[in-house]
Amino acid sequence: GLDRLCEAVATALAGKRFNIVPEIDKDKPIPSADFKAMVSADSISARVPHGKVFTFKPWVANWFNGNHFPVTKDRSSAFWRRWYVIHFKNVKPESERVLNLEEKIVKSELGNILFEALAEVQNYLATGSIKEPKAHKGALNKWKNNADSVLSWLNDALSRVAVQPLVGGTNPPITVKSAYEHYSQWCRDVGRKPLGKLEFKVSLTEAGHSETKNSSGYYCYKTLCYQ
């Protein structure tokens, strides 16, 4: 089962410093809790076949390769902040590909690569921040949008939902009831399965839209309106 698989993966990571996943399953969701534990150096349990259970902290860098975004049911910020997306968008035809390119890069540029890596480590230790290029942010936002039907609904022009300032908004805010009904209908129109109302509200809160009670006693989203 999945628990046994996660235990086997954890065992394989014990004592390692670098983990390369050559391909990501396009159908099975990532086991969120186990993933977070493995990439955050939390204490986890593992066991060699027919051996005793032992506990360790996986201090390992993880590199996941794939031609698509991993499937996830976790829409929390705690999940998204653990990813750094590198998009290789330039594809060369086979006739122009260079054989053993990685060996040639290492031979000619290893010194510069190591220098840049150490410089970024030093910057991180001094500031606690990591540079996030626009390409990473764009890819991560696309992944979020694909994984979360609520974000897709917010960002789809056909939904006619617009974001307005919390203070000074000129259009009437959307009530929670109306927002959920509108979202559910949009899901049916585009062929997606809507979340339950509680999950819908949690997802909107994660996106920065919290519900408040208006003067008429209705719960609404003051930051959302219909166009």
Side-chain angles (χ1 to χ4, degrees):
L2 186 58
D3 291 340
R4 184 172 296 178
L5 174 61
C6 291
E7 186 179 72
V9 172
T11 303
L13 294 180
K16 302 299 190 300
R17 288 294 176 265
F18 197 65
N19 173 45
I20 299 178
V21 180
E23 188 59 49
I24 300 173
D25 195 306
K26 66 177 182 179
D27 298 316
K28 295 181 180 178
I30 293 176
S32 182
D34 294 300
F35 165 76
K36 290 175 183 176
M38 290 179 186
V39 301
S40 302
D42 294 340
S43 294
I44 60 177
S45 297
R47 185 181 63 178
V48 295
H50 310 293
K52 293 183 179 180
V53 175
F54 63 94
T55 301
F56 76 102
K57 291 184 177 181
W59 293 98
V60 57
N62 295 279
W63 181 288
F64 300 88
N65 297 320
N67 294 317
H68 49 78
F69 292 120
V71 178
T72 177
K73 294 182 179 180
D74 191 335
R75 293 175 294 276
S76 68
S77 58
F79 176 82
W80 297 118
R81 66 180 173 80
R82 285 172 164 83
W83 290 91
Y84 196 93
V85 182
I86 303 174
H87 182 202
F88 295 93
K89 64 179 181 179
N90 298 321
V91 180
K92 282 185 172 292
E94 191 171 350
S95 60
E96 297 181 16
R97 294 174 186 175
V98 180
L99 296 177
N100 303 319
L101 178 61
E102 66 278 8
E103 295 178 5
K104 295 178 180 180
I105 292 175
V106 168
K107 185 177 180 180
S108 62
E109 301 183 31
L110 181 60
N112 289 333
I113 294 172
L114 181 59
F115 176 80
E116 292 291 339
L118 292 175
E120 287 303 317
V121 170
Q122 186 178 29
N123 177 70
Y124 173 74
L125 293 175
T127 65
S129 62
I130 299 176
K131 293 180 181 178
E132 293 188 349
K134 290 182 179 179
H136 155 72
K137 294 180 179 179
L140 192 65
N141 286 334
K142 183 178 180 180
W143 183 11
K144 288 181 180 180
N145 193 68
N146 291 344
D148 191 334
S149 59
V150 176
L151 290 181
S152 298
W153 169 68
L154 285 175
N155 295 323
D156 189 347
L158 297 178
S159 71
R160 299 186 297 106
V161 175
V163 177
Q164 64 178 352
L166 180 61
V167 179
T170 57
N171 295 317
I174 302 176
T175 64
V176 173
K177 182 176 182 294
S178 176
Y180 183 68
E181 291 175 349
H182 192 277
Y183 155 77
S184 299
Q185 183 59 53
W186 176 87
C187 285
R188 288 189 287 271
D189 291 342
V190 299
R192 298 189 66 163
K193 183 179 179 181
L195 299 176
K197 191 171 184 179
L198 180 58
E199 289 182 293
F200 168 79
K201 293 163 68 174
V202 169
S203 187
L204 271 184
T205 300
E206 287 279 353
H209 305 289
S210 300
E211 59 181 287
T212 57
K213 185 181 289 188
N214 61 19
S215 57
S216 301
Y218 294 101
Y219 285 97
C220 63
Y221 295 106
K222 290 186 176 180
T223 51
L224 298 176
C225 64
Y226 290 129
Q227 292 179 318

